[in-house]
Amino acid sequence: MDCNPLPPLPAREEDDEEEVAGGDCIGSTVYSKHWLFSVLSGLIQIVSPENTKSSSDDEEQQMELDEEMENEICRVWDISMEEDVALFLQEFNAPDIFMGVLAKSKCPRLREICVGILGNMACFQEICMSISNDKNFGQVLLTCLYDSDPPTLLETSRLLLTCLSQTEMASVWVERIQEHPAIYDSICFIMSSSTNVDLLVKVGEVVDKLFDLDEKLMLEWIRNGAVQPLDQPQEDYEEQQVLRIVPCVLEAARQVRSENLEGLDVYMHTLQLLTTVDDGIQAIVQWPDTGKDTWNLLSDLVCHEFCQSDDPPIILQEQKTMLASVFSVLSAIYASQVEQKYRKVEKVDLPLIDSLIRVLQHMEHCQKKPENSAESDTEETKKSDLTQDYFHLKILKDISCEFLSNIFQVLTKETVAQGLKEGQLSKQKCSCAFQNLLPFYSPAVEDFFKILYEVDKTLAGDLEESFPSLKVQT
């Protein structure tokens, strides 16, 4: 949102009043305690019993916020990012006032601002622990997830994510969410129907954090609506079932795809987390439409959008976590024992092979690149960044190699011949693949090499010179 003007400074009419004026300051800031008291008092008046008793005639008026009051409370929202102000609000029991607003007010804008202020305050550990330990606060906040107002939902998600990110308090919030099954429905509804990209990104971060924190909760959400009655046609069941987590994640990913790459990265990581448990893989592949949609979306991303032939190799640094998640999910689907009618080797695997080998080709460049990168502020920071980069690149390499080896094991002569003709396979690309796959994936390379030898003996002979261990297999 646009920055609001700063709140009024303490009155300093005469030099001899400086000490008094200084006493009105909040901590080391220049913001006035008296002014803040007056704004909070105004909030209390808004939700007082006299003002909340209404008939249908003035219910519409309650949905609106007085412009002057909105300006004032927005100023509080702005300055609540400062620790001195946040602690002062905590001392003044402002969270209780904001909770009263959330419980009684029907004004969407006012509710949004109050949750936003609480979100700023929760960025400070002491305050986060205090409000997180308040059961009433937890109840009120989670109820806000059922709100129909996107800005309020956005601020609620931001506040919840802040609390979940505090290690000491995360388990408290996970437990509360487990006690409110309807939150699953609300979050799935947002992911499957909202077009508000900012909201989708923040909700995605909440889901990703929850799954990362607690596998039990993830399994519960996977199993919601995952079982189809044996005697009921799929079409009839899909009309009656609760929203399933995988289709909702996919729909949200489609919405954020072109507008927010960080958000897309979050949803790809969420899918990857789902595939860390067998129930998650089954939730993808046991429904033909879901399996097909997942495969099509993810393969389209890696074959036509990320790490393309005309991209510089360094692009891998920006896309490494996203690619690792996508390849991990595709690999899990590929290796699944479920019959997958949506996977046609001849049509699907060649572009994937091309993408996987390109990633491995770019990997060598990226691992050398940090030596020429701009100097960090400190040597310690530089080493930390390089370690992180290497760690993520290593993960991507391991996932890519495993996936490529799985594909190599099932390729046919026809597919290999087509790949050589269309350029997805060549001496340079095969050499790169072998260099990365050997010796850990020797059986897969040997299977592929046998097929390659039958299709193009000249190419196979050239590769034998670089990889002598393959000669005995011809």
Side-chain angles (χ1 to χ4, degrees):
M1 59 176 291
D2 295 333
C3 291
N4 293 296
L6 292 175
L9 304 181
R12 301 177 61 139
E13 296 178 356
E14 299 179 11
D15 292 341
D16 59 0
E17 293 181 352
E18 285 187 1
E19 185 176 345
V20 176
D24 187 47
C25 289
I26 300 173
S28 61
T29 73
V30 295
Y31 309 128
S32 166
K33 294 178 183 177
H34 178 76
W35 166 78
L36 188 55
F37 285 145
S38 67
V39 177
L40 294 176
S41 297
L43 269 181
I44 294 173
Q45 290 298 316
I46 289 177
V47 295
S48 64
E50 298 78 28
N51 289 329
T52 53
K53 290 180 180 179
S54 63
S55 63
S56 57
D57 294 335
D58 56 6
E59 184 172 335
E60 183 176 344
Q61 186 176 352
Q62 290 188 33
M63 299 291 288
E64 300 296 330
L65 182 60
D66 176 76
E67 182 178 354
E68 182 178 352
M69 184 61 188
E70 180 178 356
N71 289 335
E72 293 290 272
I73 193 66
C74 276
R75 290 168 184 163
V76 177
W77 190 0
D78 281 344
I79 67 175
S80 62
M81 296 181 67
E82 298 197 27
E83 186 172 11
D84 283 344
V85 175
L87 290 171
F88 184 77
L89 287 169
Q90 173 76 0
E91 182 182 352
F92 191 66
N93 295 323
D96 291 338
I97 298 174
F98 299 141
M99 283 203 307
V101 172
L102 295 174
K104 298 176 183 179
S105 176
K106 298 179 181 179
C107 175
R109 178 60 172 160
L110 182 58
R111 292 168 60 83
E112 173 203 356
I113 296 171
C114 287
V115 179
I117 295 173
L118 287 167
N120 284 349
M121 294 175 63
C123 291
F124 304 103
Q125 186 176 24
E126 177 185 338
I127 299 175
C128 183
M129 292 180 69
S130 175
I131 62 180
S132 294
N133 285 320
D134 187 328
K135 292 184 178 179
N136 291 331
F137 175 82
Q139 180 72 30
V140 171
L141 175 61
L142 294 182
T143 301
C144 290
L145 287 173
Y146 311 138
D147 206 295
S148 60
D149 179 56
T152 302
L153 286 169
L154 174 60
E155 293 305 320
T156 302
S157 301
R158 184 173 73 89
L159 172 52
L160 182 55
L161 182 63
T162 300
C163 294
L164 287 169
S165 299
Q166 290 283 355
T167 306
E168 297 83 355
M169 292 291 102
S171 60
V172 174
W173 287 100
V174 170
E175 184 176 341
R176 284 176 181 155
I177 291 171
Q178 287 176 319
E179 293 171 354
H180 292 75
I183 290 176
Y184 167 85
D185 296 317
S186 179
I187 286 180
C188 280
F189 180 76
I190 293 170
M191 291 192 296
S192 64
S193 62
S194 178
T195 57
N196 185 315
V197 172
D198 291 337
L199 174 58
L200 287 172
V201 171
K202 196 57 63 178
V203 167
E205 290 175 345
V206 170
V207 173
D208 191 62
K209 189 67 175 179
L210 285 171
F211 287 0
D212 200 28
L213 286 169
D214 195 272
E215 184 177 297
K216 180 182 176 182
L217 181 142
M218 181 172 71
L219 286 169
E220 289 175 359
W221 284 23
I222 290 171
R223 291 164 183 164
N224 281 341
V227 180
Q228 176 182 344
L230 296 176
D231 59 348
Q232 188 173 15
Q234 179 176 330
E235 294 79 8
D236 294 342
Y237 177 66
E238 287 180 344
E239 292 180 0
Q240 302 174 19
Q241 71 178 74
V242 296
L243 292 167
R244 289 182 286 118
I245 188 67
V246 176
C248 295
V249 169
L250 290 176
E251 182 56 36
R254 293 189 193 98
Q255 287 291 332
V256 305
R257 174 178 179 175
S258 61
E259 297 186 46
N260 193 303
L261 289 182
E262 291 183 4
L264 182 60
D265 195 355
V266 168
Y267 280 105
M268 292 302 102
H269 186 256
T270 300
L271 284 174
Q272 183 181 11
L273 287 174
L274 289 171
T275 61
T276 60
V277 294
D278 186 62
D279 282 9
I281 297 175
Q282 295 306 311
I284 295 174
V285 301
Q286 74 174 351
W287 301 87
D289 288 346
T290 303
K292 182 178 180 180
D293 289 346
T294 306
W295 183 272
N296 288 345
L297 174 62
L298 272 59
S299 60
D300 186 55
L301 286 172
V302 295
C303 293
H304 302 110
E305 194 160 326
F306 297 120
C307 197
Q308 296 301 290
S309 58
D310 55 350
D311 287 332
I314 195 63
I315 196 71
L316 204 62
Q317 286 286 10
E318 297 178 17
Q319 301 173 354
K320 55 184 179 289
T321 58
M322 176 107 63
L323 286 167
S325 295
V326 173
F327 283 144
S328 179
V329 176
L330 288 173
S331 182
I333 297 174
Y334 200 93
S336 172
Q337 298 303 307
V338 177
E339 183 64 28
Q340 300 157 31
K341 297 180 180 178
Y342 51 87
R343 197 188 84 202
K344 296 181 179 178
V345 173
E346 293 81 2
K347 294 185 178 180
V348 174
D349 290 346
L350 285 173
L352 276 176
I353 290 172
D354 197 28
S355 296
L356 286 163
I357 294 178
R358 188 181 304 117
V359 165
L360 295 175
Q361 289 173 324
H362 288 353
M363 193 80 64
E364 298 177 3
H365 177 89
C366 287
Q367 289 173 336
K368 297 176 182 177
K369 188 63 178 178
E371 298 177 3
N372 303 320
S373 60
E375 293 186 6
S376 303
D377 293 337
T378 66
E379 280 300 315
E380 186 176 345
T381 301
K382 186 174 182 179
K383 289 180 180 178
S384 176
D385 291 342
L386 293 179
T387 301
Q388 278 290 97
D389 283 342
Y390 176 80
F391 175 72
H392 288 296
L393 286 171
K394 179 67 165 57
I395 291 175
L396 175 57
K397 179 179 179 180
D398 291 345
I399 292 172
S400 300
C401 286
E402 181 179 359
F403 190 15
L404 186 58
S405 71
N406 289 335
I407 296 177
F408 271 6
Q409 287 179 305
V410 297
L411 290 178
T412 64
K413 289 175 60 176
E414 292 75 18
T415 307
V416 172
Q418 182 183 351
L420 292 172
K421 180 180 179 180
E422 296 178 357
Q424 291 98 346
L425 294 172
S426 65
K427 179 180 177 181
Q428 183 183 16
K429 292 178 180 180
C430 288
S431 180
C432 175
F434 293 174
Q435 185 175 350
N436 283 277
L437 293 178
L438 293 172
F440 299 108
Y441 298 97
S442 294
V445 174
E446 290 164 4
D447 289 344
F448 170 74
F449 192 75
K450 290 177 183 178
I451 301 295
L452 182 64
Y453 192 84
E454 295 180 33
V455 175
D456 191 330
K457 289 183 174 60
T458 302
L459 174 58
D462 291 341
L463 289 168
E464 280 181 340
E465 295 181 6
S466 300
F467 302 94
S469 62
L470 297 175
K471 288 183 177 179
V472 295
Q473 305 298 327
T474 60

